[in-house]
Amino acid sequence: MDRYLKAIPPRAWYVAAGLLLVVYPFLTNDYWIDVANFFGIYAMLGLSLNIIVGYAGLFNLGHAAFYAVGAYTTAIINTTFHVPILWLVPLSALTAAGFAYLIARPILHLRGDYLCIVTIGFGEIVRITLVNNPLGLTGGPNGVLGIGRPSLFGLIIKQPLHFYFLIWAFVLLIVLGTKRLEESRIGRAWNYIREDALAAAAMGIDVARMKLLAFVIGAALAGVAGNIYASKMAVISPDSFTFWESVVMFSIVVLGGVGSIPGILVGTFGMFVLPELFRGFSSARMLVFGAAMIAMMIFRPQGLLPSQRWRRAMVDETVGLPAAGLSKTS
Amino acid sequence: MQEFLQQVVNGLTVGSVYSLVALGYTMVYGILRLINFAHGEMFMVGSYLALSTVSVLGMGQVASGSLGGILLVFLISMTAVAGLGVLVERVAYRPLRRASRLAPIVSALGASIFLQNAIMLIYGTRFKVFPEKLIPQISWEVGGVKITLMRVVILVVSLLLMAALYTLVQKTQLGAAIRACALDHDTARLMGIDVDRIVSLVFIIGPALGAAAGVMVGMFYYQINFVIGWTYGIRAFTAAILGGIGNIPGAMLGGLILGVLETLGAGYISPGWKDAISFFLLILILIVRPTGILGERVAEKV
């Protein structure tokens, strides 16, 4: 299967995907366009978390916190000062990045599981803070209502179709940006740190700074996704930023293929679009999802479309044996 | 002062529940270096099984349940959940023993989501209510502090179970095997210890203790929901970290400290921030002293 897919030149894939992206909304109805919109928002979140988990190898299970900071920045400033939504994109990115800088600094020396736990803690503290309505800013459990719509060259973006193009334009930008980042000096430094932080430090890479950078950039992109989510929904509440939201983002990255941009898109597709196709079983959806997470880790731990580097990384180093089931796929 | 003492008593009750659940986290982490995210769900399933047993037996509807009946509830729930624990280990963790560190985390989260939703589908999303008369409503006043029978039961049962576990791990040959596995799997295997059996044993003990905690929480608060696995689980995990993960007395101590701090915080600061206390503590401990209060051995892991 893999062999036939590889025979198709990559450019053909891009052209086909691009065409599909443009034609898609005109072939379907508003409902399916909205499905694609949420697909896009979660793809952004997946891509942003991929920088932290995939490139730098830092287990972040509190990504919803950065998403929340971005969304609430937009919501609060838009509803109180009526600043246009799209102007707030850079600001949301900045506040999320600043927040990430503050919380990531003291915890960067933690590894693996410990980092995972601390990020869960931060994620929950952010959610609890939002519920507790500090200074009357966040509206408590009800959240912020009446967030404005973005407007571009006089066109107010309101319909799902308009949002579709806005969201996917952002997704495309982020894909191109992270692709460039991946191949840059910084991207290579991240890969190096993930494989062996000690060796990376010995080669002159400032490990702490690079890890911090991964957190800051990942958070900034999550902040952008938060901005768009807030304007798309017009209402946001702490319920949208729970631990399970972070788990979903983490799963997108791991199930799609850690460190691989096409993998993230496929992972998001698997998480959001496939369940829509099987709406009949919607109540058992999460049950199947949980079972799928376990099955994936046993039979295809490298994800659906893994990056070349992680394909090797998911093989156990200490024993030199492939992880369970890995040998069947090659 | 009286109010303070009352809060401490309340805190110790909740804390002993955290301790029981924390033991499951700490033992699994000690042996497999795995955060068993599904452990909170064991606690939750234990609680639901107790509810089903109580209603099948028709206990507590008219008069309070007999001692034998209540013991039966504990026994059924603990046995069934221990079986579930072994099953989860077989299916979700054992195939990943040699995989990267990322894979077991995702698998554990998957198991957690699966169990949570399975219970939700079976029992529904609403709160489920335990009969109120299950445990006789007796209470005493000691120096102005009100102590109910249920609180005493929780504290005594927890302490007994913990003492039993401590003796098992420290004084018996089986306990020595468990401790050996925690140090080094391969060497333990060379010494003739069946590591897989020890891992299974840990996945019997931990979930059984968690289930006992779940049963008591159900009887004490009367209502349970399918999300309690997560809310209690994360606190118990904090307790395990607080005491030093991988350290059994540490988990007991951590649970009691966390319970008291949380109750005092809710009483004197604000109930709204109660949930945040354990997380603040968790982060603080990991930044300042990642080995916890009693932990030493895991230092190189951080």
Side-chain angles (χ1 to χ4, degrees):
Chain A
M1 178 73 177
D2 273 4
R3 199 152 28 113
Y4 296 115
L5 286 177
K6 274 191 193 113
I8 304 168
R11 195 169 298 161
W13 281 110
Y14 296 139
V15 172
L19 271 178
L20 184 69
L21 213 57
V22 177
V23 179
Y24 171 83
F26 301 106
L27 300 176
T28 49
N29 53 23
D30 274 1
Y31 176 78
W32 284 99
I33 293 174
D34 257 343
V35 170
N37 287 342
F38 283 103
F39 176 15
I41 290 176
Y42 278 92
M44 279 189 244
L45 290 168
L47 288 166
S48 66
L49 185 61
N50 186 38
I51 294 176
I52 303 172
V53 177
Y55 296 165
L58 302 164
F59 296 175
N60 172 12
L61 259 176
H63 205 55
F66 306 137
Y67 180 38
V69 169
Y72 270 87
T73 305
T74 296
I76 293 167
I77 296 183
N78 176 265
T79 48
T80 33
F81 302 109
H82 306 287
V83 179
I85 293 287
L86 288 178
W87 288 22
L88 290 170
V89 171
L91 190 71
S92 288
L94 263 178
T95 45
F99 179 70
Y101 182 81
L102 284 181
I103 65 164
R105 262 200 90 106
I107 61 172
L108 280 178
H109 64 280
L110 297 172
R111 282 214 307 244
D113 307 342
Y114 284 81
L115 189 66
C116 187
I117 292 300
V118 172
T119 50
I120 294 176
F122 274 120
E124 281 300 286
I125 288 176
V126 166
R127 190 185 61 79
I128 294 165
T129 309
L130 294 175
V131 171
N132 276 317
N133 198 7
L135 311 172
L137 278 176
T138 65
N142 298 327
V144 182
L145 307 120
I147 303 158
R149 299 296 193 175
S151 70
L152 204 61
F153 309 121
L155 169 78
I156 294 171
I157 296 173
K158 215 159 70 183
Q159 290 168 21
L161 181 67
H162 299 158
F163 264 109
Y164 176 84
F165 285 107
L166 179 77
I167 289 170
W168 281 91
F170 270 105
V171 174
L172 219 57
L173 278 178
I174 293 178
V175 166
L176 292 175
T178 48
K179 185 78 194 148
R180 300 279 297 169
L181 206 57
E182 186 184 318
E183 288 158 358
S184 72
R185 231 181 123 80
I186 297 171
R188 279 177 287 133
W190 282 334
N191 273 322
Y192 203 172
I193 291 171
R194 191 191 63 219
E195 297 302 323
D196 192 334
L198 204 63
M203 291 294 130
I205 295 170
D206 187 342
V207 174
R209 204 168 135 236
M210 279 306 179
K211 283 183 174 177
L212 202 56
L213 192 66
F215 256 105
V216 166
I217 295 179
L221 295 180
V224 172
N227 169 288
I228 294 170
Y229 177 76
S231 66
K232 172 84 185 76
M233 298 305 288
V235 179
I236 52 168
S237 74
D239 287 343
S240 313
F241 308 102
T242 57
F243 169 65
W244 298 109
E245 207 68 16
S246 299
V247 171
V248 165
M249 296 174 206
F250 195 78
S251 313
I252 287 176
V253 175
V254 178
L255 300 186
V258 229
S260 138
I261 294 171
I264 303 299
L265 297 176
V266 170
T268 321
F269 183 84
M271 298 280 289
F272 283 91
V273 184
L274 287 185
E276 285 299 326
L277 295 174
F278 301 103
R279 272 200 92 73
F281 313 93
S282 61
S283 56
R285 195 164 102 180
M286 289 307 281
L287 195 75
V288 175
F289 173 57
M293 278 167 82
I294 301 172
M296 274 290 291
M297 286 304 102
I298 295 171
F299 298 112
R300 203 175 161 84
Q302 74 274 43
L304 293 168
L305 272 185
S307 76
Q308 289 298 328
R309 285 177 203 269
W310 268 90
R311 215 176 278 223
R312 268 171 281 142
M314 292 302 271
V315 176
D316 182 38
E317 310 122 26
T318 52
V319 189
L321 288 170
L326 197 67
S327 51
K328 282 179 220 148
T329 56
S330 54
Chain B
M1 191 61 198
Q2 243 172 45
E3 200 200 325
F4 177 80
L5 282 177
Q6 182 73 56
Q7 303 277 24
V8 170
V9 169
N10 296 355
L12 285 177
T13 325
V14 186
S16 55
V17 170
Y18 294 160
S19 294
L20 276 184
V21 184
L23 287 169
Y25 282 107
T26 223
M27 288 181 76
V28 169
Y29 195 89
I31 299 234
L32 291 179
R33 301 281 176 272
L34 162 79
I35 302 170
N36 182 8
F37 280 107
H39 185 60
E41 316 312 334
M42 302 288 163
F43 161 88
M44 185 256 314
V45 172
S47 204
Y48 272 94
L49 284 179
L51 180 73
S52 289
T53 318
V54 164
S55 57
V56 166
L57 297 178
M59 284 165 64
Q61 298 304 337
V62 276
S64 53
S66 63
L67 185 65
I70 286 172
L71 279 179
L72 188 68
V73 172
F74 270 96
L75 203 68
I76 290 176
S77 174
M78 285 168 79
T79 318
V81 173
L84 184 66
V86 172
L87 189 71
V88 167
E89 195 268 330
R90 272 290 151 78
V91 174
Y93 303 148
R94 185 166 298 183
L96 300 172
R97 204 73 66 74
R98 297 252 177 230
S100 79
R101 302 201 79 171
L102 198 61
I105 293 181
V106 176
S107 186
L109 285 168
S112 172
I113 292 175
F114 182 87
L115 289 175
Q116 215 181 82
N117 284 279
I119 291 290
M120 192 189 85
L121 287 178
I122 297 168
Y123 289 90
T125 50
R126 288 207 219 133
F127 275 97
K128 286 279 168 187
V129 184
F130 270 73
E132 280 189 26
K133 287 180 184 150
L134 208 55
I135 297 279
Q137 311 241 345
I138 306 167
S139 65
W140 301 277
E141 287 248 338
V142 183
V145 178
K146 190 180 164 207
I147 301 170
T148 59
L149 177 66
M150 193 59 216
R151 285 193 192 280
V152 178
V153 169
I154 290 181
L155 204 59
V156 169
V157 170
S158 308
L159 290 178
L160 278 179
L161 286 173
M162 286 189 254
L165 178 68
Y166 189 76
T167 327
L168 174 77
V169 172
Q170 295 296 335
K171 307 281 184 220
T172 65
Q173 207 178 4
L174 204 59
I178 294 178
R179 282 179 286 142
C181 288
L183 283 174
D184 188 334
H185 282 199
D186 293 331
T187 315
R189 198 171 282 121
L190 290 174
M191 298 297 132
I193 296 167
D194 186 345
V195 176
D196 282 338
R197 256 191 65 210
I198 296 296
V199 171
S200 292
L201 181 70
V202 163
F203 274 92
I204 289 173
I205 298 173
L209 295 179
V215 175
M216 293 194 289
V217 161
M219 288 178 179
F220 182 62
Y221 290 108
Y222 303 122
Q223 42 176 315
I224 53 173
N225 191 332
F226 68 98
V227 297
I228 58 170
W230 157 246
T231 51
Y232 278 83
I234 190 74
R235 291 201 181 89
F237 186 76
T238 306
I241 295 261
L242 189 65
I245 192 142
N247 185 314
I248 289 174
M252 302 174 189
L253 187 69
L256 294 178
I257 292 176
L258 181 67
V260 171
L261 282 181
E262 208 182 71
T263 322
L264 289 179
Y268 290 99
I269 303 170
S270 137
W273 291 96
K274 183 182 156 230
D275 294 333
I277 291 172
S278 55
F279 294 112
F280 274 119
L281 215 60
L282 179 68
I283 292 166
L284 199 70
I285 286 280
L286 281 177
I287 292 174
V288 181
R289 191 181 155 83
T291 52
I293 300 171
L294 296 182
E296 312 133 57
R297 206 170 47 71
V298 280
E300 91 274 17
K301 285 283 160 195
V302 183

